[in-house]
Amino acid sequence: MIIDCHGHYTTAPKELEEYRKRQIAGLKDSTQIAVKGSLKISDDQIRESLENAQLKIQRERGTDLTIFSPRAGGMGHHIGNATTSQHWSETCNELIHRVCTLYPQNFVGVCQLPQSPGVAPKNCIPELERCVNEFGMIGCNLNPDPSGGYWTDPPLTDKWWYPLYEKLVELDVPAMVHVSASCNPNFHFTGAHYINADTTAFMQFITSDLFKDFPTLKFIIPHGGGAVPYHWGRYRGLAQDMGRPPLKELLLNNVFFDTCVYHLLGIELLLKVIPADNILFASEVVGAVRGIDPETGHYYDDTKRYIDAIGWLSAADREKIFHGNVRKVYSRFAASRGQK
Amino acid sequence: MIIDCHGHYTTAPKELEEYRKRQIAGLKDSTQIAVKGSLKISDDQIRESLENAQLKIQRERGTDLTIFSPRAGGMGHHIGNATTSQHWSETCNELIHRVCTLYPQNFVGVCQLPQSPGVAPKNCIPELERCVNEFGMIGCNLNPDPSGGYWTDPPLTDKWWYPLYEKLVELDVPAMVHVSASCNPNFHFTGAHYINADTTAFMQFITSDLFKDFPTLKFIIPHGGGAVPYHWGRYRGLAQDMGRPPLKELLLNNVFFDTCVYHLLGIELLLKVIPADNILFASEVVGAVRGIDPETGHYYDDTKRYIDAIGWLSAADREKIFHGNVRKVYSRFAASRGQK
């Protein structure tokens, strides 16, 4: 079985974007009380939005199932206020739930959180609980920078985040560290902001005792861990200079990397540097890079092909990466499949 | 000959730090007119600060010469105002000039620029000219984020920077893209802010026609190019999706990477992915990581050792990386050696 742990609903029917536009337009009139509004999308529209995109790609590439969440770039936590984020997150998560209900064999849900810059993360708990307990979702995406590129909230290791972590631990669901769009012109969103956030979060984890406080808390750092595997010597050395424990001991029970690295040499480095126990297969389709690599004749984001090409990877490690680790990191995965 | 293109004067006598502390203390009294003040450091103190550090390391590792600049983390462009940065940069650059005068065989200078958030970069031109024309320096360090982690100035591709670029082109000196300390608690400075800035700058270059406007402008992206080589497929794919030219054509006449990557597998990736014409040897000693890797028994930052270990690297490419490319990128290098 091959599970892609990182897919977003980037192909949602245009009505979703129109809903968001109405919501944003409504922000201009501060005398109006924000209402959630309604989204009218039929089951057929959902089917159509997936059949020629994610489902087609699953079939073509031989992926069995995708852990699926709302479009990351669309979360836009910097837009409006906490109520804006609440309504928008609920709407997006409900749509993901419909996808997973229509295609239970192909998708299992992960939710977006109603974060807002300067608003305590504990504010996200009710929506997290609803998605896990009522919709059967198995994780969430956690934005380490709700400001969208100005990084004005405290680091992920600050007690500011602890009430949310307590709930993650209680529910036994992991968080993927994933920023959203950048409103800072310095940061291209998928080319800089995403990768920087991955690197930043990892370095935050190195400097703190977060995982002493939460020994079972689990994070997935997407996009192959940002710059981390490439600079693994730097991170080992920095931890050592700071008198921290070796990285394996310090955080590899809690931090996992996906395989969204879009060339063979990058994937090879990831697999050589990071223990197989800490790598989860992912491609983030339909996502940041949509073209075909003229050097290979295949899609850049067909990450399964790179892993398949690595002859020295043992069968046991391949199994872990393709599905074994998902069952470990996403503790609710088996139950979501009706398994024990 | 082996040239290290990236060394900072991290071991300067403590008088320099005391000077800086006085300068910062002076900022509290806004009625005082800022004066540059004076720094008293003897030649012997300078010799002592280098003999057991950079010079010892050069001898031990077989590096002939280091392209040397003020401590990057110390630039602190976010502190005070433009006058603060002017005085501090002048002081630091004058000290580098003294180092290079005392040890002309071992060091050649690169200057810090008196940047300040929100202040037009053209403000740096007089100090750049002084350092190049009077001190014989061959490049500068350019901070893409003078705010120190809040990224409030325009991207490097914005016309905001153009007057400075015109001067760089006129003087024919390259800039190393190098941030300074982070005052944003989200970003560990050497573990996140440095690497993020490298990645960010590269992505900015992809999205712009900067090198059409300045075909001879040259940037060195340090720390092995941040996350870029590891995500080379992503960057090639993003450029392609945006209808930009292939990366080679778009920016590899203008953008170069150093080898400050502190493990063999990382260096191996860099050398496999990036053309040898675009790689400059560097170790950034004495720098971010100072320990010995228990897995190898050697210093993490002994990057020459990693390059030496790569058997498949051709002699011609090795020469380029160790010194040939420096002569091409730092056009004034030969003249600084009294060569044509």
Side-chain angles (χ1 to χ4, degrees):
Chain A
M1 186 176 197
I2 296 181
I3 303 168
D4 185 330
C5 82
H6 186 182
H8 302 293
Y9 196 10
T10 47
T11 58
K14 66 179 189 315
E15 282 78 1
L16 183 65
E17 201 189 326
E18 284 161 7
Y19 170 96
R20 181 63 161 170
K21 281 183 183 159
R22 286 195 304 276
Q23 197 195 27
I24 293 171
L27 290 169
K28 286 180 192 150
D29 183 356
S30 60
T31 61
Q32 286 265 345
I33 294 168
V35 289
K36 185 173 168 185
S38 65
L39 176 67
K40 285 203 177 55
I41 292 178
S42 69
D43 285 355
D44 277 347
Q45 282 180 290
I46 293 177
R47 287 189 192 99
E48 199 185 333
S49 72
L50 295 162
E51 283 292 347
N52 282 308
Q54 288 84 355
L55 290 169
K56 179 164 168 273
I57 292 172
Q58 282 187 353
R59 284 190 299 268
E60 284 173 358
R61 301 190 187 172
T63 314
D64 296 293
L65 182 143
T66 302
I67 298 180
F68 207 52
S69 60
R71 189 166 68 90
M75 296 189 298
H77 294 121
H78 58 283
I79 295 169
N81 50 42
T83 305
T84 318
S85 266
Q86 185 69 36
H87 291 166
W88 175 235
S89 296
E90 285 174 10
T91 303
C92 290
N93 291 333
E94 286 158 12
L95 194 59
I96 293 295
H97 181 50
R98 288 182 63 195
V99 167
C100 298
T101 307
L102 283 172
Y103 295 97
Q105 300 308 314
N106 299 87
F107 298 105
V108 56
V110 150
C111 65
Q112 156 180 341
L113 295 174
Q115 298 177 249
S116 197
V119 176
K122 71 176 174 202
N123 198 47
C124 301
I125 292 176
E127 178 62 3
L128 174 68
E129 287 189 306
R130 184 175 82 116
C131 290
V132 173
N133 292 331
E134 293 179 30
F135 296 162
M137 295 195 182
I138 63 171
C140 66
N141 291 333
L142 179 65
N143 185 345
D145 171 31
S147 79
Y150 291 97
W151 294 86
T152 49
D153 274 7
L156 287 179
T157 48
D158 192 278
K159 295 214 155 45
W160 171 255
W161 301 90
Y162 274 30
L164 178 60
Y165 297 160
E166 283 163 16
K167 186 54 68 177
L168 289 172
V169 164
E170 183 197 315
L171 293 171
D172 203 10
V173 292
M176 179 175 279
V177 178
H178 207 309
V179 285
S180 184
S182 159
C183 57
N184 185 327
N186 280 284
F187 301 128
H188 183 276
F189 83 117
T190 53
H193 193 41
Y194 280 23
I195 306 295
N196 292 351
D198 305 334
T199 309
T200 299
F202 188 81
M203 190 63 211
Q204 291 176 359
F205 297 147
I206 286 185
T207 57
S208 110
D209 285 329
L210 179 62
F211 303 121
K212 277 193 182 160
D213 291 344
F214 296 99
T216 62
L217 183 61
K218 291 190 182 69
F219 290 108
I220 301 101
I221 302 189
H223 321 110
V228 171
Y230 176 48
H231 285 287
W232 194 241
R234 187 178 192 89
Y235 292 105
R236 289 203 302 117
L238 283 169
Q240 184 175 319
D241 284 359
M242 288 188 278
R244 307 288 299 159
L247 295 186
K248 196 169 163 52
E249 187 183 315
L250 178 61
L251 43 70
L252 289 187
N253 289 319
N254 307 85
V255 176
F256 302 83
F257 299 87
D258 81 8
T259 65
C260 293
V261 176
Y262 298 154
H263 63 146
L264 176 60
L265 290 168
I267 288 282
E268 204 162 35
L269 176 84
L270 171 68
L271 269 53
K272 280 183 182 170
V273 168
I274 305 296
D277 284 330
N278 292 78
I279 301 173
L280 278 66
F281 173 69
S283 61
E284 202 174 8
V285 288
V286 179
V289 177
R290 306 194 175 188
I292 289 174
D293 184 347
E295 293 183 8
T296 65
H298 299 288
Y299 286 97
Y300 285 101
D301 65 4
D302 188 353
T303 54
K304 177 170 173 291
R305 189 173 280 273
Y306 306 131
I307 298 169
D308 287 345
I310 295 177
W312 52 260
L313 187 68
S314 74
D317 285 350
R318 200 176 296 270
E319 295 263 299
K320 284 179 184 175
I321 292 168
F322 277 139
H323 67 91
N325 293 336
V326 159
R327 296 166 196 274
K328 188 179 68 181
V329 176
Y330 294 83
S331 316
R332 289 173 175 257
F333 178 81
S336 81
R337 304 292 89 200
Q339 302 157 351
K340 276 190 214 163
Chain B
M1 185 175 195
I2 296 180
I3 302 168
D4 185 330
C5 83
H6 186 182
H8 302 294
Y9 196 10
T10 47
T11 60
K14 67 178 188 318
E15 281 78 359
L16 183 66
E17 200 188 326
E18 285 161 6
Y19 170 96
R20 180 63 162 171
K21 280 184 184 159
R22 287 197 303 278
Q23 196 196 28
I24 293 171
L27 290 170
K28 284 180 193 151
D29 182 356
S30 61
T31 62
Q32 286 265 344
I33 294 168
V35 289
K36 184 174 169 186
S38 65
L39 176 66
K40 285 201 178 56
I41 292 177
S42 69
D43 285 355
D44 276 349
Q45 282 180 290
I46 293 177
R47 287 189 191 98
E48 200 185 331
S49 73
L50 295 162
E51 283 292 347
N52 283 307
Q54 287 85 354
L55 289 169
K56 180 166 167 273
I57 293 172
Q58 282 186 354
R59 284 189 300 269
E60 285 173 359
R61 301 190 188 171
T63 314
D64 297 292
L65 183 143
T66 302
I67 297 180
F68 206 52
S69 61
R71 188 166 68 89
M75 297 190 296
H77 294 120
H78 58 283
I79 295 170
N81 51 42
T83 306
T84 318
S85 267
Q86 184 71 34
H87 292 164
W88 174 235
S89 296
E90 285 175 10
T91 303
C92 291
N93 291 333
E94 286 158 14
L95 195 59
I96 293 295
H97 181 48
R98 288 182 63 195
V99 167
C100 298
T101 307
L102 284 171
Y103 294 97
Q105 300 307 315
N106 300 89
F107 298 105
V108 57
V110 150
C111 66
Q112 155 180 341
L113 295 175
Q115 297 178 247
S116 197
V119 176
K122 69 176 175 202
N123 199 45
C124 300
I125 292 176
E127 179 61 3
L128 174 67
E129 286 189 307
R130 184 175 81 115
C131 290
V132 173
N133 292 331
E134 295 179 29
F135 296 162
M137 294 193 181
I138 62 170
C140 65
N141 291 332
L142 179 65
N143 185 344
D145 172 33
S147 79
Y150 291 98
W151 295 87
T152 49
D153 275 6
L156 288 179
T157 47
D158 192 277
K159 294 212 157 46
W160 171 253
W161 302 89
Y162 274 31
L164 178 60
Y165 296 159
E166 283 163 15
K167 185 55 68 177
L168 289 172
V169 165
E170 183 196 315
L171 293 170
D172 203 11
V173 293
M176 180 175 277
V177 178
H178 207 309
V179 284
S180 184
S182 160
C183 57
N184 186 327
N186 280 285
F187 301 128
H188 183 277
F189 83 116
T190 54
H193 193 40
Y194 280 23
I195 306 296
N196 292 351
D198 305 335
T199 310
T200 299
F202 187 81
M203 191 62 212
Q204 291 176 0
F205 296 148
I206 286 184
T207 56
S208 111
D209 284 328
L210 179 62
F211 302 121
K212 275 194 184 159
D213 290 344
F214 296 100
T216 62
L217 183 62
K218 291 188 180 71
F219 290 109
I220 301 101
I221 302 189
H223 320 111
V228 171
Y230 177 47
H231 284 288
W232 194 241
R234 187 177 192 89
Y235 293 105
R236 288 204 300 116
L238 283 170
Q240 183 177 318
D241 283 359
M242 287 188 277
R244 307 288 299 157
L247 296 185
K248 196 169 164 53
E249 184 184 321
L250 179 61
L251 43 70
L252 289 186
N253 288 320
N254 307 85
V255 176
F256 302 84
F257 300 88
D258 81 8
T259 65
C260 293
V261 177
Y262 296 157
H263 63 147
L264 176 59
L265 290 168
I267 288 282
E268 204 162 35
L269 176 84
L270 171 67
L271 269 53
K272 280 183 182 168
V273 168
I274 305 297
D277 284 329
N278 292 77
I279 301 173
L280 278 66
F281 173 68
S283 61
E284 200 173 11
V285 289
V286 178
V289 177
R290 304 194 176 188
I292 289 174
D293 185 347
E295 292 183 7
T296 65
H298 299 287
Y299 286 97
Y300 286 101
D301 64 6
D302 188 354
T303 53
K304 178 169 172 293
R305 190 173 280 274
Y306 306 131
I307 297 169
D308 287 344
I310 294 177
W312 52 260
L313 187 66
S314 73
D317 284 350
R318 199 176 296 269
E319 294 263 299
K320 283 179 185 175
I321 292 168
F322 276 140
H323 67 91
N325 293 336
V326 159
R327 295 167 197 274
K328 187 179 68 181
V329 176
Y330 294 83
S331 314
R332 287 172 175 257
F333 179 81
S336 81
R337 304 292 89 200
Q339 302 158 350
K340 274 187 219 167

